[in-house]
Amino acid sequence: MMHAFYDPLRTYEENLVAGPFGLPDAVVDPPAGSPAAHAWGVPVHSAFGIPAGPLVNAAYCAAAFRHGFDVAVYKTVRTGPHPCHPFPNTLAVHVKGDLDPSTARRPVLADERLAGATSISNSFGVPSRDPDVWQPDMAAAVAAAGEGQLLVGSFQGTRHGGDAQALVADHATAARLVAETGARAMELNLSCPNEGTGDLLCFDTPGVVRVVEAVKGEIGDVPLVLKLAYFASDDALASLVGATRDLVHGYAAINTLPARLVDERGRQALPGEGRDTAGVCGRAIRWAGLDMVARLSRLREAGDWFEVVGVGGVLTLADVVAYRGVGADVVMSATGAMLDPRLGTAVRESGATA
Ligand SMILES: Cc1cc2nc3c(=O)[nH]c(=O)nc-3n(C[C@H](O)[C@H](O)[C@H](O)COP(=O)(O)O)c2cc1C
């Protein structure tokens, strides 16, 4: 089956050069009337779009806007060039029902039989081009947003050994570089499992506070959303939100859930060291995204308002409605948009996020 936007059967570099792929010929007219919904506090026609990942450059972001996705997140960038993990990166993950994180050490079958697969792996290692290349490209993506549409710049810092100060400084530099593109909204990826699953920055509240303070020092009033992994612990989530809610515009949840991916003979499915576990997205993690959004919404009730962006396993309009029902202000779909590029228009026309 052909995937839309990002083609899992091609390398990341091929996708960068030749994509986007698999989109319908007809583009969608922008709706009449003023945008009534909001994302990152900015008026949009529908508070629905594609999160960091499938939109690897400006051509992809422009295509998302043309096909009715009113919020497009430019795939996470860094302060310097960073290689992509070896191909393949996106395999079909064969899970029946929900992926349970407590069984993350139990092997899950993953292979290239992508036809019909509603859960996939995401193992890229957050590749980045040099800012000299991605900054003008991200500026072009910003310019591609029509009225009632929003381009969000996603970024993260890069670890240089264990130097905590250097990590804070690198995040601040990345934020400044994104702000220089004219992006009106930003997302800080604190949750990439490819940086080492046990070591996610979002689980280190004092570390996050230092990073967010430095980032805000660079970007001022540009609305900043923190992208989170799934938190098993309510206390840890409450601690992170309590320490950062006055600093940020909101939170996006979730990134992927980790799983140990094996081929049909039980061998590691993705080639290379450190890739025995990889992030899973799509249908199998929907429960975890809904659960995090519900918990973030409850925390919100106990203090000042913040925005909640729901991500994970949104494949249909009904999934969008479910996320809105547990408190998501904005809803995003990566795997679902790759399976059905008409989802943006369907959500916009339904008014589910207006
Ligand atoms: C191909 C692909 C690449 C991704 N790259 C990133 C990334 O660079 N930064 C990030 O924060 N999330 C990344 N993600 C995670 C998505 O933003 C999202 O959190 C996750 O896929 C769950 O949503 P879904 O079930 O709709 O796919 C990526 C996902 C996919 C499918």
Side-chain angles (χ1 to χ4, degrees):
M1 182 181 60
M2 185 72 176
H3 279 74
F5 297 104
Y6 190 90
D7 181 355
L9 298 177
R10 296 176 206 245
T11 65
Y12 172 71
E13 287 74 19
E14 281 175 310
N15 272 278
L16 261 184
V17 171
F21 300 98
L23 291 165
D25 289 338
V27 299
V28 182
D29 288 334
S34 305
H38 289 84
W40 276 252
V42 176
V44 287
H45 289 301
S46 68
F48 180 69
I50 301 182
L55 308 178
V56 295
N57 63 29
Y60 286 74
C61 297
F65 290 135
R66 279 199 305 274
H67 288 277
F69 294 90
D70 290 325
V71 185
V73 185
Y74 191 107
K75 183 167 166 59
T76 308
V77 293
R78 299 178 184 258
T79 54
H82 199 83
C84 186
H85 284 337
F87 184 81
N89 309 93
T90 303
L91 294 176
V93 176
H94 302 284
V95 185
K96 282 202 186 73
D98 296 341
L99 181 71
D100 179 348
S102 69
T103 59
R105 301 203 174 285
R106 226 184 276 158
V108 177
L109 178 65
D111 57 29
E112 289 186 348
R113 287 181 295 138
L114 283 148
T118 53
S119 298
I120 59 177
S121 72
N122 154 22
S123 173
F124 291 86
V126 194
S128 180
R129 291 171 292 161
D130 190 87
D132 285 350
V133 179
W134 67 248
Q135 274 195 306
D137 188 60
M138 189 183 281
V142 171
E147 202 223 341
Q149 299 188 317
L150 179 69
L151 188 284
V152 179
S154 168
F155 67 99
Q156 70 178 57
T158 302
R159 281 182 208 278
H160 300 281
D163 185 340
Q165 267 314 105
L167 182 61
V168 171
D170 193 72
H171 275 93
T173 303
R176 175 176 54 77
L177 292 168
V178 173
E180 285 171 2
T181 68
R184 297 166 72 195
M186 290 171 57
E187 185 174 275
L188 169 50
N189 181 14
L190 296 173
S191 54
C192 187
N194 300 311
E195 293 284 293
T197 310
D199 204 16
L200 302 186
L201 189 52
C202 63
F203 297 136
D204 168 14
T205 293
V208 172
V209 171
R210 284 193 294 273
V211 163
V212 171
E213 282 174 344
V215 164
K216 285 303 282 183
E218 293 289 341
I219 67 170
D221 290 340
V222 178
L224 177 71
V225 161
L226 304 183
K227 175 92 174 272
L228 305 181
Y230 180 73
F231 279 60
S233 154
D234 279 340
D235 287 348
L237 184 61
S239 150
L240 179 85
V241 170
T244 55
R245 65 188 297 165
D246 293 340
L247 297 169
V248 301
H249 181 74
Y251 304 89
I254 59 171
N255 210 310
T256 53
L257 281 185
R260 188 155 84 79
L261 303 183
V262 295
D263 66 17
E264 58 193 7
R265 294 193 197 164
R267 298 171 307 196
Q268 181 178 324
L270 290 161
E273 206 183 319
R275 294 178 86 200
D276 51 334
T277 64
V280 175
C281 20
R283 162 68 191 90
I285 69 162
R286 185 174 62 213
W287 71 271
L290 286 166
D291 181 56
M292 277 287 284
V293 166
R295 289 155 68 201
L296 284 165
S297 303
R298 283 198 291 276
L299 289 169
R300 173 167 59 186
E301 283 162 18
D304 287 343
W305 184 87
F306 55 77
E307 191 170 278
V308 177
V309 181
V311 197
V314 173
L315 305 182
T316 64
L317 179 58
D319 297 333
V320 175
V321 172
Y323 267 92
R324 294 281 289 182
V326 292
D329 303 290
V330 183
V331 182
M332 310 288 272
S333 171
T335 305
M338 290 165 67
L339 290 170
D340 178 9
R342 293 179 176 83
L343 192 56
T345 325
V347 174
R348 193 201 254 168
E349 285 174 357
S350 75
T353 62

